[in-house]
Amino acid sequence: MINTKDILETIKMIEEEHLDIRTITMGISLTDCAADSIDMLCTRVYDKITRMAERLVRVGEDIEHEYGIPIINKRISVTPISIIASSCRALDFSPIAKAMDRAAEVVGVNFIGGYSALVHKGYTNADRNLIESIPEALSATGRVCSSVNVATTKAGINMDAVAQMGRIIKTCAYLTKDNSSIACAKLVVFANVPEDNPFMAGAFHGVGEPECVINVGVSGPGVVRSAIERAGECDMSALAETIKKTAFKITRMGQLVAGEASRRLGVPFGIVDLSLAPTPAIGDSVAHILEAMGLECTGGHGTTAALAMLNDAVKKGGVMASSHVGGLSGAFIPVSEDAGMISAVEKGVLRLDKLEAMTAVCSVGLDMIAIPGSTTAEVISAIIADEISIGVVNNKTTACRLIPAYGCEAGDRVEFGGLLGTAPVMKIEQSSPEIFINRGGRIPAPIQSLRN
Amino acid sequence: MKAVITVVGKDVVGIIAAVSNELVKYNVNIVDISQSVFDDIFAMVMMVDISGCTIPFTSFVDELNSLGESRGLKIHTMHEDIFNSMHKI
């Protein structure tokens, strides 16, 4: 018999502490959809996605119902489109994004990721065409997400791509200027991108992945915060132990749901992503965990250390709870999606420099940060270059999802709605890195020994 | 296959009867019950066997939910696997 205390604990986690499965993401390989003509390619992409994911949403809802656990998002990731579109003669790939968007709408998922290119060492012609088409693709669709990997620890940093992404982000912001520059919220620039990440906007189905796979992202910042509050006055060793135990329970639930979804859909289970993903809801904030650990306000001195401990303890607790762990696995710090982060920025305590330092010890990067609309493409590229360097040198994933909100100044607020939340526009250093960024070329791969 | 039903709400006459009646209606057998009342708040945890349930489990969950709503009670019905996986290694 399961004891009553455990039963009530689980129900409390779900009811009061926002415990949920953040996403069930179906990865679908589109490599067999390649075609000469873009129309044919679009038809094949649409047909394959709608066929493979036909039952995804229904199965997700059934599991949610039977187990009594909210499953917030059902999503799809596909093979990076630049790979499958390289067979096609067209120069503009945006019709493929539109086909993906229609397919996502028909199967009922809220996001589909994979309008992506991997250019860490250089561009293929298709990569070039795809990246050029990102602004059109993201402004003409509502569900498609795009990512570009510009660096890896083994290949170094493609600075031509970094420079180009600054311009692409500016264009995305301009094309959706009447809608809070929302296209930028669906575009991520990565270093060391994982191929099995279930979280948007950076999800895609890597080339080493099987035909179709189920990946699950768990969440639960509220549960971790409550556990820390209950632990009361204790030292760091005891606190780490508390976080580990909580992460274990959260992840076990993710593993159960992943296994069940995989069985019912007849699709292999890939990974559970052990992430603490906040939402704008009160009580679902990573910043509030750091504050429960004893900081007056997130962003103050001590934040990096607290986050490093939290991130490590979540992984240690989660690893044993799941048979396969992957994706991004860590604490997310998206500013607009976290009530505690928003308030720390508005108090002037949390600034971009501190956020950058925090990304050195957690997943995943400068995420959902609104900056003034007048910021130049070169400054955006330079912010990307800084963030990407942290990932490359430290052999970890880092990323940038920056929103140069058109017409907005530092101190304004940008509303994205839903899970994307509200972003305070952050003040950033505007001195010009133009000559540095326009040099182009590649920053060589860093040395992996003599590590200081 | 087993499920856990929890019922929480203001204590009134006939809560156990109402819930048990619903279980009988769908051929669901009670395996274990723990129940108490704190300061007028009724709390019950039931372990039930749903292998003979005459309707799909998701519909059974809905039926109990609407029973809860009609009587001002919070009723959760969840598959036992969730508790086993979270609290047992």
Side-chain angles (χ1 to χ4, degrees), chain A residues 15 21 29 42 44 65 74-76 80 88 99 139 141 178 195 210 223 232 333 343 345 356 373 403 428 435 448 450:
Chain A
E15 285 288 302
I21 299 289
S29 167
C42 287
R44 288 180 179 172
H65 214 132
K74 293 92 189 170
R75 291 169 169 173
I76 295 170
C88 125
S139 53
T141 60
D178 300 327
E195 299 203 331
V223 181
I333 49 170
S343 114
V345 169
E356 190 181 304
I403 301 113
I428 57 165
I435 298 172
Q448 291 298 298
L450 311 174

Side-chain angles (χ1 to χ4, degrees), chain A residues 1-2 4 6-11 13-15 19 62 65-69 248-250 252-253 256-257 260 320, chain B residues 4 6 32 34 45-47 57-59 61-62 65 74 76-89:
Chain A
M1 176 70 182
I2 312 159
T4 312
D6 292 343
I7 291 172
L8 297 177
E9 183 190 0
T10 301
I11 289 173
M13 283 179 176
I14 295 169
E15 285 288 302
L19 175 62
D62 282 351
H65 214 132
E66 283 176 34
Y67 289 90
I69 288 180
F248 177 84
K249 289 179 186 172
I250 297 173
R252 287 283 280 201
M253 192 189 70
L256 173 74
V257 167
E260 200 53 33
M320 186 179 152
Chain B
V4 173
T6 61
D32 201 350
S34 129
V45 179
M46 270 180 164
M47 175 73 94
F57 183 57
T58 49
S59 318
V61 173
D62 292 338
N65 276 348
K74 193 95 187 152
H76 288 276
T77 313
M78 295 159 81
H79 200 288
E80 69 160 343
D81 282 358
I82 197 95
F83 304 101
N84 285 333
S85 67
M86 281 179 87
H87 301 285
K88 286 184 185 167
I89 295 180

Side-chain angles (χ1 to χ4, degrees), chain A residues 28-216:
Chain A
I28 304 172
S29 167
L30 296 182
T31 45
D32 54 352
C33 297
D36 289 356
S37 106
I38 191 149
D39 293 339
M40 174 60 81
L41 192 148
C42 287
T43 309
R44 288 180 179 172
V45 165
Y46 176 88
D47 289 349
K48 183 152 189 194
I49 294 171
T50 49
R51 188 177 77 239
M52 304 293 275
E54 193 185 1
R55 293 167 53 232
L56 174 65
V57 171
R58 206 178 61 236
V59 165
E61 284 168 356
D62 282 351
I63 295 176
E64 186 171 3
H65 214 132
E66 283 176 34
Y67 289 90
I69 288 180
I71 300 173
I72 309 297
N73 299 300
K74 293 92 189 170
R75 291 169 169 173
I76 295 170
S77 63
V78 298
T79 311
I81 295 298
S82 77
I83 295 173
I84 63 152
S86 57
S87 64
C88 125
R89 287 186 300 268
L91 297 178
D92 176 16
F93 292 168
S94 60
I96 307 173
K98 291 167 194 159
M100 288 161 69
D101 199 47
R102 286 195 304 276
E105 188 181 357
V106 166
V107 299
V109 297
N110 61 354
F111 281 120
I112 177 165
Y115 198 76
S116 306
L118 310 175
V119 296
H120 37 274
K121 210 158 180 187
Y123 295 88
T124 62
N125 292 334
D127 292 332
R128 216 175 281 282
N129 295 339
L130 181 119
I131 293 175
E132 285 296 340
S133 72
I134 287 175
E136 165 64 19
L138 296 186
S139 53
T141 60
R143 294 177 176 78
V144 175
C145 293
S146 176
S147 53
V148 177
N149 191 54
V150 297
T152 65
T153 298
K154 285 199 167 149
I157 306 173
N158 180 347
M159 288 299 286
D160 292 322
V162 169
Q164 186 184 13
M165 288 317 293
R167 298 191 293 272
I168 294 288
I169 289 171
K170 283 285 280 185
T171 315
C172 283
Y174 180 75
L175 289 182
T176 47
K177 62 181 191 299
D178 300 327
N179 196 8
S180 313
S181 296
I182 197 153
C184 302
K186 299 181 286 174
L187 172 60
V188 193
V189 184
F190 270 107
N192 292 323
V193 67
E195 299 203 331
D196 52 6
N197 159 30
F199 286 103
M200 295 296 168
F204 68 86
H205 185 72
V207 289
E209 296 286 306
E211 182 69 17
C212 188
V213 72
I214 288 292
N215 297 322
V216 165

Side-chain angles (χ1 to χ4, degrees), chain B residues 22-78:
Chain B
E22 203 72 3
L23 303 186
V24 173
K25 201 156 111 194
Y26 301 113
N27 193 37
V28 171
N29 187 33
I30 299 171
V31 180
D32 201 350
I33 289 190
S34 129
Q35 181 263 312
S36 46
V37 177
F38 309 99
D39 287 341
D40 252 15
I41 300 293
F42 172 94
M44 171 166 73
V45 179
M46 270 180 164
M47 175 73 94
V48 297
D49 186 341
I50 49 170
S51 34
C53 187
T54 51
I55 53 171
F57 183 57
T58 49
S59 318
F60 176 65
V61 173
D62 292 338
E63 291 297 329
L64 284 179
N65 276 348
S66 49
L67 171 74
E69 276 163 28
S70 70
R71 292 180 160 252
L73 300 165
K74 193 95 187 152
I75 303 186
H76 288 276
T77 313
M78 295 159 81

Side-chain angles (χ1 to χ4, degrees), chain A residues 374-387:
Chain A
S374 56
T375 310
T376 64
E378 288 79 13
V379 169
I380 295 173
S381 294
I383 298 173
I384 295 173
D386 282 345
E387 181 58 29

Side-chain angles (χ1 to χ4, degrees), chain A residues 179-356:
Chain A
N179 196 8
S180 313
S181 296
I182 197 153
C184 302
K186 299 181 286 174
L187 172 60
V188 193
V189 184
F190 270 107
N192 292 323
V193 67
E195 299 203 331
D196 52 6
N197 159 30
F199 286 103
M200 295 296 168
F204 68 86
H205 185 72
V207 289
E209 296 286 306
E211 182 69 17
C212 188
V213 72
I214 288 292
N215 297 322
V216 165
V218 295
S219 180
V223 181
V224 174
R225 194 196 57 172
S226 304
I228 290 173
E229 282 169 355
R230 274 196 303 275
E233 275 182 39
C234 63
D235 71 0
M236 280 294 172
S237 308
L239 205 55
E241 206 52 35
T242 303
I243 298 171
K244 269 161 62 180
K245 283 180 187 154
T246 311
F248 177 84
K249 289 179 186 172
I250 297 173
T251 311
R252 287 283 280 201
M253 192 189 70
Q255 175 74 30
L256 173 74
V257 167
E260 200 53 33
S262 146
R263 191 181 63 77
R264 293 185 189 194
L265 288 162
V267 167
F269 157 65
I271 55 100
V272 172
D273 188 317
L274 310 176
S275 288
L276 287 181
T279 68
I282 299 298
D284 208 15
S285 153
V286 170
H288 288 155
I289 301 180
L290 303 178
E291 288 162 14
M293 285 167 78
L295 298 171
E296 184 186 342
C297 182
T298 297
H301 296 295
T303 302
T304 312
L307 185 60
M309 191 278 249
L310 170 67
N311 200 48
D312 183 65
V314 166
K315 287 181 202 174
K316 284 174 178 161
V319 158
M320 186 179 152
S322 172
S323 48
H324 298 281
V325 172
L328 295 165
S329 287
F332 292 170
I333 49 170
V335 175
S336 76
E337 300 171 11
D338 186 314
M341 294 280 174
I342 295 171
S343 114
V345 169
E346 287 181 338
K347 281 183 200 154
V349 179
L350 179 59
R351 290 183 284 269
L352 195 72
D353 312 3
K354 193 60 178 180
L355 278 163
E356 190 181 304

